[in-house]
Amino acid sequence: MQSFSDSILYSYAQIFFSNRRWFGAAVLAATFVTPQLGILALLGVIISNITATVLKFDTEKIRSGFYGFNGILFGAAAAFYFEITPFILLLVLIFIVITFFISAVLENYMAVAFNLPGLSLPFIIALYIFIIFLANYDFINPGYVTLSLVKTTSVLPFIVSEYLRALSLIVFQPDVISGLIIAGALLFFSRVLFLLSILAFALNLFFLNLILPDMPEAYLILFAFNSILTAFALGGSLIIPSGKSFVLVIIAVLMVVIMTGFFIKLFTGTNFPILVLPFNFIVLSTLYSLKFRKENTNLVLLYFKPGSPEENYYQHQRRKSRFEKFRFLFPELPFFGEWFIPQGFEGQHTHKDDWRYAWDFTVVDEKKSEHSGDGKELSDYYCYKLPVAAPLDGEVVKIVDGIPDNKIGDVYLEKNWGNTIILKHEYGLFSSLSHLLSGSFKVKEGEKINKGQIIAQCGSSGRSPVPHLHFQFQTTDKLGDRTFKFPFAHYIERSDDGFILRTFDYPVENTKVQNVEVHKQMKSAFNFRFGDRLKFNCKAGEKDFIEEWEVKVNMNNELYIESSRNATAGIYVTDKVLYFTNYQGKKDTALYHFSLISMSVPFSYHEKLQWSDVYSVDQFNLGVVRYLSELFLFYRSYISAEGKFIFSDSNNVEEISFCSTIEVRGSSLFSFYHRNYSGEVIIGSNGIIKKFNMKSGNKLLFSAIDAREEERSK
């Protein structure tokens, strides 16, 4: 029953690109300002969803309103244009089912053929078929109104009344009260959509007076609600909000005015109403044309499950900040232990022009010396004869061997790359490792190798005055080919006060780096796998409760954790790091607090290892500050949130503990806003998440302990 009521409310919300039940309830209420229209609209969604359920369509799509909103529009439109008699009612019920089938076919075809939404095209097609079919009868009477006759009295100024009527007529309500309800819901749901509705209405008036000054006043609302819906779609609901999407809205409203004028002339003398045809035409053609660009140019089509425009913006910014540098391959540093980079990108000696994206690696002591003694012998150098490893799985495609090592200070320019191995990886990526020790190769050409497998030893052959390893990525198997800029997936960089975890980054000159070595205890705790279950005894303020988690997988084979308290959190698990990708649910669950304080966690352990991550603003309860800041979202976001993490000392040597510090800060107009949160996670010796807590200042917000651990302690 809950799922069926959800399907009704979400269907109403879908009309305005919303995913909130309460918003759907507000629109439902708005449709009953004119009860007869409201009843037919409600019948439309009920019959559509029952049909989908009986025929075993996807339950999640039914619940989300995917199949129901076109039924709402058809039912309301039928009551809007025709007098509802028992005979007409019977036909309407039949055509609601027809509308559902048209919707199912068209939505699927548009998605598969063009990767586009069907929008409200199914409703328009069904209504046109209905109108043509009714021409078989000579006793059909007009309904409440026709679009050109919408006129209701209002004490509000003309412009305000017309704006509200434009909103209300999206659901075929000819009254400003419906518009007031919808406008209020819009403002509460999304500041972006509310501003877009006002902007689109104002632009519509401007362009209409500029291009079609003689257009009858009665058509104003027709132009207006098509402009508003188009602005909703292209300004933030189907395109990520940005300065360029704002400009696109201006252009799109101009196109809507032109196309609406075109359809008015095209349909003159027919019984076909124009409805939302211009909106569908402009939005679908714009979205489809944008798919042929070479670059996104900050005009990004929605590529994940939609929320409000603000949520779309925050999620895109978070993914961009966290995962933009992520690649389809996860290369590691080609050695074991900690090495030093005497020459990196754009190095002053040999890393220039076509060879600028390369690294030289060597080993140094605490004084940054590469050798012991006076350094006159090859064996004095710490890296000499150390093993060299494959950075990725692949195949050995070329080996150059037999070039002797140079004496210290000498170079061999004729074969300046020295002994080299070139490896072929997936997706056309190659890696080249040079200046290796002659006769040290552990593999042969054509041999398949695994990431981390020892392939040779470090030497000093070719243009190598002292022992070191030259490494570069490239796109061919040619010896000495131009370098290709490609990051290492995860590595640890030594800093003055500890270690820093780098993710999909480029090691820089004069730093010490090493691979992320997996720690059994950490990996056991955070390497979540399908089917894993966890249970915690929790305390939030004075409230105690038990929360259970289960790791599941969705239709896209993406892992997520589901809480027993109706919340989910997406997770992305690499071979070295866990990332929380999103959270959905109330902000009072154990899963919510854990996802914040464990936003990313390496499967490694180093004392004083530090890392950082960024958060979406909508993950925090910011109150009115967030809503006010979102009024400027097309320009920039004035609120940001960043987390810093560090392994800390634990009183129990068998336990591992890391702490998080989360800072939510405003800038410019909102520089007054500043909040700090802190958290701690303790991993037991048995590799389980033993405890975690979160504080705001000195106030404990939440704490949890593994239920099994608590039972054992008793």
Side-chain angles (χ1 to χ4, degrees):
M1 191 64 185
Q2 175 69 45
S3 179
F4 190 74
S5 65
D6 284 351
S7 71
I8 293 174
L9 296 179
Y10 284 129
S11 294
Y12 279 93
Q14 282 263 8
I15 297 170
F16 292 87
F17 299 97
S18 173
N19 63 342
R20 299 291 197 277
R21 281 168 45 92
W22 66 263
F23 191 98
V27 177
L28 173 61
T31 62
F32 273 85
V33 172
T34 308
Q36 185 170 333
L37 296 173
I39 291 171
L40 264 292
L42 185 58
L43 276 175
V45 66
I46 291 174
I47 293 172
S48 295
N49 288 340
I50 288 177
T51 303
T53 302
V54 170
L55 296 177
K56 304 298 182 182
F57 278 74
D58 184 86
T59 54
E60 184 55 35
K61 283 188 174 182
I62 297 171
R63 180 178 178 273
S64 70
F66 184 81
Y67 295 115
F69 73 93
N70 278 290
I72 293 172
L73 295 175
F74 182 86
F80 188 87
Y81 288 110
F82 302 100
E83 181 183 0
I84 300 301
T85 63
F87 178 71
I88 291 295
L89 179 59
L90 177 62
L91 291 179
V92 168
L93 298 181
I94 294 172
F95 267 85
I96 287 172
V97 177
I98 293 173
T99 302
F100 164 76
F101 283 110
I102 294 173
S103 178
V105 171
L106 194 58
E107 289 282 359
N108 182 69
Y109 177 75
M110 294 291 285
V112 173
F114 305 108
N115 191 24
L116 291 172
L119 300 179
S120 48
L121 272 180
F123 147 66
I124 296 173
I125 294 171
L127 186 63
Y128 286 177
I129 295 173
F130 184 64
I131 290 171
I132 294 172
F133 178 77
L134 290 184
N136 290 294
Y137 309 99
D138 56 7
F139 54 83
I140 306 300
N141 297 318
Y144 275 94
V145 284
T146 60
L147 193 55
S148 60
L149 298 177
V150 173
K151 279 289 180 182
T152 58
T153 58
S154 171
V155 297
L156 297 171
F158 173 77
I159 294 298
V160 177
S161 295
E162 294 301 283
Y163 164 73
L164 294 175
R165 289 191 182 103
L167 287 177
S168 65
L169 277 167
I170 292 173
V171 286
F172 294 95
Q173 289 294 309
D175 197 288
V176 296
I177 296 175
S178 296
L180 279 170
I181 296 172
I182 294 170
L186 274 176
L187 177 60
F188 193 70
F189 169 62
S190 168
R191 275 56 58 200
V192 167
L193 288 187
F194 182 75
L195 287 175
L196 285 173
S197 69
I198 296 174
L199 172 68
F201 182 78
L203 288 171
N204 169 74
L205 288 179
F206 174 76
F207 290 134
L208 197 55
N209 289 326
L210 182 67
I211 300 173
L212 298 170
D214 298 326
M215 183 63 63
E217 186 181 287
Y219 283 106
L220 171 61
I221 294 177
L222 175 64
F223 284 87
F225 71 67
N226 275 283
S227 297
I228 290 172
L229 284 173
T230 301
F232 286 172
L234 301 182
S237 295
L238 302 180
I239 293 179
I240 306 298
S242 68
K244 290 193 175 181
S245 73
F246 187 85
V247 174
L248 180 63
V249 166
I250 298 173
I251 299 171
V253 171
L254 173 60
M255 292 191 292
V256 167
V257 170
I258 293 172
M259 291 307 303
T260 306
F262 163 76
F263 283 119
I264 287 173
K265 288 299 181 182
L266 181 67
F267 288 178
T268 298
T270 73
N271 292 324
F272 294 139
I274 296 170
L275 302 172
V276 287
L277 198 55
F279 150 69
N280 281 271
F281 185 89
I282 295 301
V283 170
L284 292 175
S285 60
T286 300
L287 292 177
Y288 191 62
S289 64
L290 290 176
K291 294 178 182 294
F292 294 97
R293 296 169 298 161
K294 292 184 178 179
E295 297 180 10
N296 283 335
T297 62
N298 294 325
L299 199 60
V300 182
L301 300 180
L302 193 68
Y303 57 95
F304 46 79
K305 187 177 181 179
S308 70
E310 291 84 356
E311 291 167 342
N312 295 342
Y313 175 88
Y314 295 135
Q315 185 166 348
H316 170 65
Q317 292 299 324
R318 179 179 61 190
R319 290 192 179 197
K320 183 178 178 181
S321 298
R322 301 181 74 203
F323 303 119
E324 184 179 39
K325 295 190 295 184
F326 272 52
R327 298 294 184 267
F328 32 81
L329 296 172
F330 290 72
E332 293 187 349
L333 297 169
F335 45 72
F336 305 101
E338 185 178 70
W339 289 51
F340 178 73
I341 305 173
Q343 187 179 199
F345 286 4
E346 303 283 357
Q348 62 177 336
H349 302 297
T350 56
H351 298 176
K352 298 290 186 182
D353 301 323
D354 285 349
W355 302 277
R356 61 186 179 276
Y357 299 128
W359 294 273
D360 286 342
F361 295 107
T362 186
V363 177
V364 298
D365 57 24
E366 294 180 356
K367 297 179 181 179
K368 288 193 176 181
S369 174
E370 298 179 16
H371 56 80
S372 62
D374 55 14
K376 293 182 178 180
E377 300 295 331
L378 292 170
S379 58
D380 291 341
Y381 285 77
Y382 301 121
C383 70
Y384 188 62
K385 291 189 177 182
L386 285 184
V388 174
L392 279 167
D393 294 349
E395 178 185 351
V396 180
V397 292
K398 182 169 293 185
I399 289 178
V400 177
D401 197 4
I403 303 172
D405 287 329
N406 303 308
K407 293 181 179 179
I408 299 301
D410 291 346
V411 294
Y412 187 12
L413 297 180
E414 290 184 15
K415 295 186 177 181
N416 62 308
W417 296 100
N419 301 310
T420 299
I421 184 169
I422 298 178
L423 308 175
K424 179 183 179 182
H425 312 293
E426 292 183 285
Y427 305 105
L429 184 69
F430 294 78
S431 60
S432 179
L433 301 92
S434 300
H435 310 310
L436 302 172
L437 179 67
S438 178
S440 69
F441 290 95
K442 310 296 182 184
V443 292
K444 299 177 181 179
E445 288 187 8
E447 184 175 337
K448 302 292 185 181
I449 46 93
N450 299 317
K451 180 165 64 175
Q453 180 179 337
I454 297 175
I455 54 177
Q457 290 176 295
C458 181
S460 192
S461 56
R463 188 173 178 176
S464 177
V466 295
H468 73 282
L469 171 66
H470 174 93
F471 179 88
Q472 66 183 52
F473 289 112
Q474 54 192 55
T475 57
T476 73
D477 62 357
K478 179 183 176 183
L479 179 65
D481 198 9
R482 63 187 300 175
T483 56
F484 178 68
K485 189 177 182 181
F486 199 90
F488 288 102
H490 305 105
Y491 63 92
I492 294 173
E493 175 186 309
R494 182 184 288 270
S495 65
D496 293 336
D497 54 354
F499 300 90
I500 300 173
L501 175 68
R502 302 292 187 191
T503 299
F504 281 91
D505 211 339
Y506 307 93
V508 296
E509 198 168 289
N510 295 320
T511 58
K512 294 180 180 179
V513 293
Q514 60 182 296
N515 279 314
V516 176
E517 299 297 334
V518 172
H519 189 281
K520 182 179 179 181
Q521 198 169 332
M522 288 295 297
K523 186 163 186 178
S524 175
F526 290 96
N527 187 28
F528 294 114
R529 294 169 296 181
F530 174 69
D532 285 353
R533 293 176 179 269
L534 296 88
K535 183 178 180 181
F536 296 96
N537 294 328
C538 310
K539 186 176 184 64
E542 299 299 319
K543 184 179 179 181
D544 296 316
F545 58 89
I546 295 174
E547 183 168 324
E548 298 182 37
W549 299 349
E550 182 178 357
V551 180
K552 297 185 176 182
V553 63
N554 63 20
M555 294 296 292
N556 297 321
N557 289 324
E558 298 167 334
L559 288 174
Y560 67 96
I561 301 175
E562 184 176 78
S563 164
S564 58
R565 301 185 70 217
N566 298 319
T568 61
I571 52 176
Y572 176 46
V573 184
T574 72
D575 57 345
K576 296 293 177 73
V577 182
L578 162 76
Y579 299 91
F580 275 92
T581 56
N582 59 70
Y583 173 83
Q584 292 182 331
K586 293 184 177 180
K587 296 179 173 62
D588 61 356
T589 67
L591 185 58
Y592 166 72
H593 292 90
F594 185 76
S595 67
L596 290 182
I597 59 181
S598 307
M599 183 57 66
S600 56
V601 181
F603 301 153
S604 180
Y605 175 71
H606 285 266
E607 288 187 12
K608 298 183 179 180
L609 175 63
Q610 305 174 51
W611 64 100
S612 61
D613 214 326
V614 294
Y615 296 83
S616 291
V617 172
D618 60 335
Q619 292 178 285
F620 301 91
N621 292 313
L622 307 183
V624 70
V625 171
R626 172 189 163 186
Y627 299 135
L628 290 174
S629 71
E630 288 171 350
L631 294 173
F632 305 92
L633 207 58
F634 282 112
Y635 176 64
R636 58 167 289 194
S637 175
Y638 285 101
I639 308 292
S640 62
E642 182 177 359
K644 295 184 178 180
F645 310 83
I646 186 170
F647 282 109
S648 55
D649 295 330
S650 175
N651 295 327
N652 187 336
V653 294
E654 295 183 346
E655 295 177 347
I656 296 176
S657 169
F658 69 85
C659 296
S660 59
T661 302
I662 306 169
E663 183 177 40
V664 185
R665 179 183 292 275
S667 61
S668 189
L669 296 172
F670 298 88
S671 58
F672 64 88
Y673 190 83
H674 188 203
R675 294 288 187 276
N676 281 325
Y677 302 91
S678 61
E680 182 181 26
V681 179
I682 298 175
I683 299 93
S685 59
N686 51 359
I688 65 168
I689 300 165
K690 185 177 180 181
K691 299 177 183 178
F692 61 91
N693 64 70
M694 186 171 177
K695 299 179 180 179
S696 176
N698 294 322
K699 180 182 178 182
L700 181 65
L701 299 177
F702 188 92
S703 63
I705 182 170
D706 178 77
R708 295 166 297 176
E709 182 69 21
E710 193 166 52
E711 290 171 3
R712 281 192 291 267
S713 64
K714 291 179 181 179

